[in-house]
Amino acid sequence: MTLTKRTSYDIVVVGTGAAGTAAALEAAQHGATVLLLEKGRHTGGSSNYTEGLFAVDSYLQQAQHIHVSATEVLKEEIDYSKYRADSRIWRQYLDDSADTVQWLKDQGVEYEGVQAMGAGEATWHIYKGMGQAVLHDALQPKALALGVELLTSTTAIDLHQADNGTITGVTIQNAATKEIQLVNTHAVILATGGYLNNPEMMQNLTHYDTSRLIPVSSGKGTGDGLRLAWQAGAQQYGTGMAMLFGGYLKDPSEPSFKYMASQMETAAGQQPLLWLNEHGERFVDEAVVYNFSYAGNALYTQNQVFSILDQGVIDRMARDGNFMGLGVYVRRGEKMTKLQAEIDAAVAANKPFIFKAKTIEELAAKMHLPVDQVTRSIQTYNQYCDNGQDDEFGKDPAYLVKVDQGPFYGFELNVGAFCTMGGLKVTTANEVLDTKGMPIPGLYAAGNDAAGLTGDTYGPNMPGTCVGYAFYSGRNSGRNAVTYLNNDVAVSD
């Protein structure tokens, strides 16, 4: 008995997120036989929770008269990365981005429209039903209809190569029965989503204090594709960066993703209001939240951070709306009508991240912060609010809101993260490079397994670039793998 219907396939794709599903479908649309592997019971991974993808000059942007220069985006992103991103990869990604939006539409994906995030550009193409609908209602059914064979609960555990390094097969294993099988193939596309959920790799490959990092993902990003490629002689490159998204509440009794749609989480972790460190001091212009990756970096400069809200600003956000949202989970400007009830429930349940008090002094004591310093910090901050000028860090006066109406609340903030990006150096064709910088024939990497898109900090100023690149690089891998089969492999055969 074999795990698969066939003993050989033109292409094996490992991972069923945006990158892997797009790769499998694109390759099948170009006539290849494809085996698509998913190690979990359910497909889609963290891509199920994505909200929209990046593009420039799409049909949606044209309809809304939104013009964003691709070349200016390229220059901004390369500069933002301190030239650690690959200009060639960005150029090709940008030039193909509008086509990717159209391709998804052609597969049945529906969009809500185009918008910006924070202070960024209007490049975020929001799809209806989130990534769950894109993958499960559109792309996956199309792939299956074209003959793609999908196996769940099945892991790729080894790559097979000829003496010259060319990919010849992959060993797969069923998660339940532990049965293994060698599948012959000429090409493998790795799209396993990075390594955020691998504590050992996070500890060894990044500089983050992982005790404060809260992964908000499917939990499947354990570096599987990276390890396979490295064992096959691939170059380790571009590791060390997680897509941070600012302050996040740590609740050991709940799955981390639960708080994504929480108005309390948005109010506590995403507003440009008042943060204090473990010494009871301000340490940054809190409007850094408008670039959520920068906000995550800022939080890591301190050992401990608390967000301080008074009843006045809570009532204001309920009445007039928040200052900053959290993607499409809690929209920017949304009236926070559930906020008070969520806060009250957290206080009643003695959640470890929340503190409530009638006075500032009492609040400081409950948070185990120096009472005198907290009092001084808030008095000074309130004076800045009265004067309309932040003499310490220069925060925009629009976000100088006094802390003077009890009860007062403190929220301990940890740092949220969506994913890691990078690990394998690739060409513009998404071919994986070996330690000498040469392509490993037949091996491709897409999405978060591939390096070249970022430096040490993700750029939310162009929202949707991560999942946009996943769709693009998946398609690019699929197309180029088919070209490789038709040219190099056919010639050698």
Side-chain angles (χ1 to χ4, degrees):
M1 178 179 176
T2 60
L3 299 175
T4 60
K5 295 177 182 178
R6 307 161 57 105
T7 58
S8 66
Y9 297 80
D10 293 330
I11 300 170
V12 175
V13 180
V14 186
T16 63
T21 304
L25 177 54
E26 184 75 22
Q29 288 174 334
H30 284 80
T33 58
V34 181
L35 174 64
L36 178 60
L37 301 176
E38 167 57 50
K39 72 175 182 180
R41 291 178 299 155
H42 305 289
T43 59
S46 297
S47 296
N48 287 326
Y49 313 121
T50 60
E51 301 138 287
L53 74 156
F54 164 88
V56 296
D57 202 30
S58 71
Y59 77 92
L60 287 168
Q61 288 166 313
Q62 292 175 15
Q64 295 182 38
H65 305 289
I66 296 169
H67 177 69
V68 180
S69 166
T71 299
E72 290 303 312
V73 171
L74 170 65
K75 291 166 65 176
E76 180 175 339
E77 290 298 322
I78 297 303
D79 185 65
Y80 185 95
S81 78
K82 303 180 183 66
Y83 281 75
R84 292 180 62 186
D86 190 315
S87 297
R88 303 163 307 154
I89 289 174
W90 260 104
R91 181 77 257 177
Q92 194 161 303
Y93 171 32
L94 285 161
D95 291 344
D96 199 72
S97 61
D99 183 67
T100 298
V101 170
Q102 181 65 51
W103 180 79
L104 289 171
K105 179 178 183 292
D106 293 343
Q107 313 314 314
V109 174
E110 297 183 54
Y111 296 96
E112 292 184 9
V114 184
Q115 67 182 60
M117 176 185 287
E121 297 281 359
T123 61
W124 203 16
H125 294 63
I126 306 299
Y127 27 69
K128 294 181 180 179
M130 304 189 68
Q132 176 82 20
V134 174
L135 296 173
H136 295 269
D137 299 341
L139 303 193
Q140 191 178 109
K142 290 270 188 180
L144 296 177
L146 286 173
V148 172
E149 183 177 348
L150 170 64
L151 290 183
T152 58
S153 300
T154 306
T155 306
I157 60 173
D158 193 22
L159 298 177
H160 296 265
Q161 298 168 275
D163 291 341
N164 65 354
T166 299
I167 295 296
T168 60
V170 57
T171 297
I172 64 175
Q173 182 175 43
N174 180 275
T177 66
K178 304 304 179 184
E179 180 183 355
I180 65 173
Q181 178 189 336
L182 169 62
V183 175
N184 297 311
T185 186
H186 289 298
V188 171
I189 300 173
L190 301 172
T192 61
Y195 56 95
L196 180 68
N197 306 111
N198 185 314
E200 182 180 357
M201 292 179 76
M202 288 297 294
Q203 187 71 39
N204 294 336
L205 298 177
T206 77
H207 64 277
Y208 304 119
D209 175 359
T210 54
S211 69
R212 295 175 60 200
L213 192 71
I214 305 177
V216 183
S217 67
S218 67
K220 299 177 185 178
T222 52
D224 303 347
L226 304 185
R227 292 196 302 271
L228 284 172
W230 293 337
Q231 290 166 7
Q235 181 179 161
Q236 180 179 317
Y237 181 81
T239 57
M241 192 281 288
M243 188 199 297
L244 309 180
F245 65 93
Y248 206 72
L249 303 175
K250 186 174 184 178
D251 185 349
S253 66
E254 299 286 356
S256 57
F257 63 80
K258 177 179 178 179
Y259 284 97
M260 283 296 292
S262 163
Q263 291 188 351
M264 175 178 61
E265 154 59 34
T266 301
Q270 308 299 322
Q271 304 309 307
L273 297 170
L274 176 62
W275 290 349
L276 299 178
N277 66 11
E278 67 272 20
H279 304 297
E281 303 167 334
R282 280 186 77 209
F283 59 93
V284 74
D285 170 2
E286 296 90 349
V288 68
V289 296
Y290 285 92
N291 180 314
F292 58 67
S293 292
Y294 280 167
N297 289 345
L299 290 164
Y300 264 125
T301 66
Q302 311 301 306
N303 289 323
Q304 198 174 21
V305 177
F306 296 87
S307 174
I308 309 299
L309 303 179
D310 76 343
Q311 191 62 49
V313 80
I314 291 170
D315 293 343
R316 172 176 167 173
M317 287 193 287
R319 181 184 66 249
D320 302 330
N322 62 48
F323 298 85
M324 179 64 185
L326 184 54
V328 301
Y329 290 92
V330 180
R331 303 230 180 218
R332 184 176 179 180
E334 182 177 328
K335 292 184 178 180
M336 309 286 269
T337 55
K338 302 176 183 177
L339 175 56
Q340 189 67 60
E342 290 182 8
I343 289 175
D344 291 344
V347 171
N350 292 313
K351 294 294 186 182
F353 55 76
I354 191 169
F355 306 87
K356 178 183 179 181
K358 294 180 180 178
T359 67
I360 292 298
E361 292 80 5
E362 181 188 0
L363 182 67
K366 285 188 174 183
M367 295 187 297
H368 303 290
L369 300 183
V371 174
D372 290 346
Q373 181 58 58
V374 170
T375 302
R376 283 195 299 272
S377 294
I378 292 180
Q379 287 175 344
T380 302
Y381 184 73
N382 285 343
Q383 189 63 56
Y384 295 156
C385 296
D386 287 337
N387 296 341
Q389 180 173 313
D390 178 5
D391 292 334
E392 201 165 7
F393 301 114
K395 183 159 71 175
D396 187 328
Y399 308 129
L400 290 173
V401 182
K402 291 183 72 171
V403 179
D404 64 355
Q405 182 181 337
F408 302 95
Y409 298 89
F411 298 85
E412 183 173 5
L413 298 183
N414 284 278
V415 183
F418 288 128
C419 62
T420 59
M421 297 174 71
L424 301 175
K425 198 169 193 177
V426 297
T427 68
T428 55
N430 283 96
E431 302 162 295
V432 175
L433 297 177
D434 65 17
T435 55
K436 295 181 180 179
M438 298 300 293
I440 298 174
L443 187 59
Y444 299 81
N448 291 341
D449 286 344
L453 204 67
T454 64
D456 59 10
T457 300
Y458 179 72
N461 51 319
M462 301 293 172
T465 52
C466 180
V467 72
Y469 180 71
F471 285 120
Y472 158 71
S473 61
R475 294 184 66 207
N476 196 45
S477 297
R479 284 193 298 263
N480 285 297
V482 171
T483 299
Y484 166 74
L485 294 171
N486 293 337
N487 295 337
D488 295 8
V489 173
V491 169
S492 64
D493 287 348

